[in-house]
């Protein structure tokens, strides 16, 4: 497994301190510009990459360090987060990453995660290391069909490095195989990222070998990629995937998938629809946003708009992550792109609710009203699922989400007529251009809810499948 070491320091690593960390491998190692999210790489004279060091990120959003690394880490926000990734192909590269992180923390103060990896002495014996194969930085194995990435951390997040790897894999037409231990969990953005790419979460289990962490299919390595083991009737499901992760604890997730469309003019401010969702469902705006995890910048619709506008000038979409405060788990991914309709935002929001907390499905009509009135709502689907309140995904079967509502925006309603409804909807938004909000269930009867949702979609709604809405289990 690739070893990741993170230095959490109260001061920004300057050039001199960073060089002190990079010299942990001795003066014979070379420093070169990095790739896949790295700012520099430590490599041998023969070109073998040993450690990639990412640009330091100033994490100002409360709770981000604990969300991704767990409790007990001394470097709480605000803190400088500097990540070093060691190659899994070279023995001793993990010790070098630990020495880079340990030296930064030793000079600047702070902590190293994982703490056991920290060291400051020179790591000798790496100058002659050779890495075979054409795998780029961050990829452990590259074949004609797949890029294999191994991660050993307890929580895999959509880091700058991982998002870059996914982007490059998609561009080259390969499949991404993310290999982790059985106790690893995915953050909501990491799962969303993998769902949107040709990818597979490969779980290494000591009992059954390998299986898909989202579907449970038993996998085997066929020489080029991890593929399902086929038996009569389809693929075989791993026993480890079906093991109960515990009885229903009462934890729930409220999921929203929505699309907004705005005129492309200079007055446009993005992020307001997401902020409205956050305020309605949690009582507060998002705490921060970023283009990757950890989310490091305080929430700002102006800054988000500036970034999207700059990227749109180069015909590039913008993918961002937003998080809430630690006392109310909430996280969202937003894809913003210029289309023939204008500027579209595709938003997926998850709000976690702990044992004994009410899931506010009754607030969805109010939210639909606000979004239809001034935020360019096109479609919105609300769902409830029995799942972890911390919004991470374990490599175990989880019940699929149950739809509770569907909203059709004013533009679609005006084009098809508001009187052709499968069953009586709520009219929300402006009286002259109403939206239609359908209540399809309360989250307790999946079969009835899906039947109603299909009826709405088949009666002229014409919205097509909403992002993230699928009746399949575990995916």
């Amino acid at each position: 497994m690739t070893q990741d070491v993170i230095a959490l320091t109260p001061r920004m690593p300057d050039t001199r301190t960073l060089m002190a960390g990079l010299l942990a491998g001795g003066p014979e190692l070379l420093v070169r510009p990095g790739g896949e999210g790295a700012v520099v790489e430590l490599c041998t004279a023969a070109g073998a990459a040993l450690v990639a060091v990412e640009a330091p990120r100033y994490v100002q959003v409360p709770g981000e360090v604990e969300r991704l690394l767990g409790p007990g880490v001394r470097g709480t926000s605000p803190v400088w987060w500097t990540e070093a990734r060691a190659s899994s192909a070279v023995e001793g590269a993990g010790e070098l990453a630990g020495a880079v992180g340990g030296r930064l923390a030793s000079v600047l103060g702070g902590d190293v995660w994982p703490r056991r990896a920290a060291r400051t002495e020179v790591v000798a014996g790496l100058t002659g290391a050779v890495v075979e194969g054409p795998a780029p930085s961050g990829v452990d194995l590259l074949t004609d069909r797949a890029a294999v990435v191994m991660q050993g951390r307890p929580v895999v997040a959509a880091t700058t490095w991982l998002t870059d790897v996914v982007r490059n894999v998609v561009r080259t037409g390969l499949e991404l195989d993310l290999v982790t231990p059985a106790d690893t969990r995915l953050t909501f953005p990491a799962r969303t990222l993998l769902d949107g790419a040709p990818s597979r979460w490969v779980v290494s289990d000591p009992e059954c070998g390998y299986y898909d962490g989202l579907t449970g299919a038993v996998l085997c390595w066929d020489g080029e990629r991890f593929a399902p083991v086929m038996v009569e009737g389809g693929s075989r499901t791993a026993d480890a995937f079906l093991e109960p992760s515990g009885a229903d604890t009462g934890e729930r997730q409220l999921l929203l998938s929505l699309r907004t469309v705005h005129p492309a003019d200079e007055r446009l401010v993005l992020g307001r629809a997401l902020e409205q969702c956050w305020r309605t469902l949690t009582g507060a705006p998002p705490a921060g946003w970023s283009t990757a995890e950890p989310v490091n910048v305080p929430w700002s619709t102006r800054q988000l708009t500036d970034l999207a506008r700059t990227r749109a000038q180069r015909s590039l979409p913008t993918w961002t992550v937003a998080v809430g405060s630690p006392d109310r788990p909430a996280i969202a991914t937003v894809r913003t792109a210029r289309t023939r309709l204008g500027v579209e935002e595709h938003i997926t929001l998850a709000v976690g609710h702990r044992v004994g907390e009410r899931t506010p499905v009754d607030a969805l009509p109010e939210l639909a009203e606000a979004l239809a009135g001034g935020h360019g709502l096109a479609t919105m689907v609300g769902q409830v699922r029995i799942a972890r309140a911390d919004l991470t995904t374990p490599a175990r079967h989880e019940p699929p989400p149950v739809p509770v509502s569907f909203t059709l925006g004013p533009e679609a309603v005006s084009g098809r007529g508001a009187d052709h409804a499968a069953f009586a909807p709520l009219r929300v938004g402006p009286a002259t251009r109403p939206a239609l909000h359908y209540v399809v269930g309360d989250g307790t009867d999946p079969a009835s809810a899906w039947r109603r949702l299909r009826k709405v979609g088949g009666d002229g709604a014409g919205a097509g499948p909403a992002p993230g809405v699928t009746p399949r289990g575990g995916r």
Side-chain angles (χ1 to χ4, degrees):
M1 295 288 179
T2 302
Q3 182 172 343
D4 300 333
V5 177
I6 302 167
L8 303 163
T9 60
R11 291 182 288 152
M12 178 181 178
D14 55 20
T15 303
R16 178 177 295 182
T17 305
L18 190 58
M19 285 304 301
L22 296 175
L23 286 172
E28 296 84 4
L29 295 183
L30 304 179
V31 178
R32 68 183 181 191
E36 309 293 0
V39 60
V40 293
E41 290 178 338
L42 273 173
C43 59
T44 66
L50 304 175
V51 172
V53 182
E54 291 191 10
R57 294 167 64 87
Y58 189 46
V59 180
Q60 306 170 65
V61 180
E64 273 299 274
V65 173
E66 294 84 354
R67 180 176 72 87
L68 299 180
L69 302 182
V73 181
R74 288 194 292 265
T76 56
S77 306
V79 68
W80 287 96
W81 174 302
T82 308
E83 190 158 339
R85 289 179 288 103
S87 168
S88 62
V90 179
E91 186 176 356
E95 294 182 1
L96 180 56
V100 172
R103 288 188 171 202
L104 294 182
S106 178
V107 174
L108 301 172
D111 202 2
V112 173
W113 182 95
R115 201 163 290 156
R116 65 180 182 278
R119 55 185 297 166
T120 56
E121 64 271 20
V122 171
V123 180
L126 298 177
T127 56
V130 176
V131 177
E132 298 181 359
S137 174
V139 175
D140 295 277
L141 177 65
L142 188 67
T143 73
D144 291 338
R145 299 190 64 182
V148 180
V149 173
M150 301 181 182
Q151 284 281 280
R153 56 208 296 174
V155 177
V156 173
T159 61
T160 302
W161 157 73
L162 184 58
T163 55
D164 282 347
V165 168
V166 170
R167 187 179 301 116
N168 288 332
V169 165
V170 170
R171 186 177 65 246
T172 54
L174 297 176
E175 173 185 291
L176 173 66
D177 288 342
L178 175 67
V179 183
T180 74
D183 57 354
T184 291
R185 291 172 284 121
L186 303 182
T187 66
F188 184 75
R191 175 172 178 169
T192 303
L193 190 68
L194 295 181
D195 273 344
S199 63
R200 191 180 298 279
W201 179 16
V202 182
V203 176
S204 176
D205 185 83
E207 299 295 329
C208 69
Y210 298 99
Y211 68 91
D212 189 307
L214 297 179
T215 68
V218 175
L219 305 173
C220 67
W221 177 253
D222 66 5
E224 292 188 309
R225 67 186 181 109
F226 285 93
V229 175
M230 305 305 294
V231 295
E232 185 177 353
S235 60
R236 184 163 63 89
T237 302
D239 292 338
F241 181 77
L242 296 175
E243 289 177 0
S245 55
D248 180 3
T249 63
E251 293 182 305
R252 295 290 187 273
Q253 294 177 5
L254 176 59
L255 307 175
L256 286 184
S257 297
L258 63 144
R259 181 171 67 94
T260 65
V261 182
H262 312 277
D265 60 42
E266 292 298 319
R267 295 172 298 175
L268 174 62
V269 178
L270 296 169
R272 287 179 172 172
L274 179 61
E275 183 173 315
Q276 181 66 59
C277 294
W278 226 287
R279 289 185 182 277
T280 301
L281 299 177
T282 73
W289 75 283
S290 185
T291 56
E293 295 179 281
V295 174
N296 61 324
V297 182
W299 175 249
S300 169
T301 55
R302 179 186 59 79
Q303 292 179 349
L304 189 153
T305 303
D306 289 345
L307 173 66
R309 183 172 286 122
T310 299
R311 291 182 59 83
Q313 292 171 354
R314 294 182 285 154
S315 300
L316 296 174
T318 301
W319 189 83
T320 53
V321 180
V323 297
S325 59
D327 61 338
R328 167 52 63 215
I331 195 163
T333 61
V334 184
R335 187 181 187 274
T336 306
R338 178 72 182 269
T339 71
R340 62 180 180 81
L341 299 177
V343 179
E344 296 192 33
E345 295 175 292
H346 293 259
I347 302 169
T348 306
L349 169 66
V351 183
H353 297 274
R354 304 180 181 93
V355 179
E357 294 180 337
R358 181 182 61 86
T359 306
V361 295
D362 54 352
L364 295 179
E366 173 192 344
L367 176 59
E369 173 88 29
L371 294 176
H375 296 289
L377 178 65
T379 59
M380 179 173 70
V381 175
Q383 302 173 94
V384 172
R385 74 180 305 170
I386 300 172
R388 297 173 62 104
D390 65 7
L391 306 175
T392 61
T393 299
R396 295 288 186 274
H397 171 73
E398 292 184 322
V402 180
V404 293
S405 68
F406 173 74
T407 309
L408 193 62
E411 190 67 30
V413 171
S414 64
R416 303 177 186 277
D419 296 326
H420 301 286
F423 52 91
L426 300 174
R427 293 173 181 248
V428 295
T432 55
R433 297 185 74 250
L436 297 181
H437 180 77
Y438 301 85
V439 177
V440 299
D442 60 3
T444 62
D445 187 349
S448 174
W450 280 110
R451 188 165 53 249
R452 285 187 166 209
L453 184 61
R454 293 189 186 99
K455 190 176 181 181
V456 172
D459 193 49
V469 178
T470 169
R472 290 179 294 166
R475 185 116 200 181

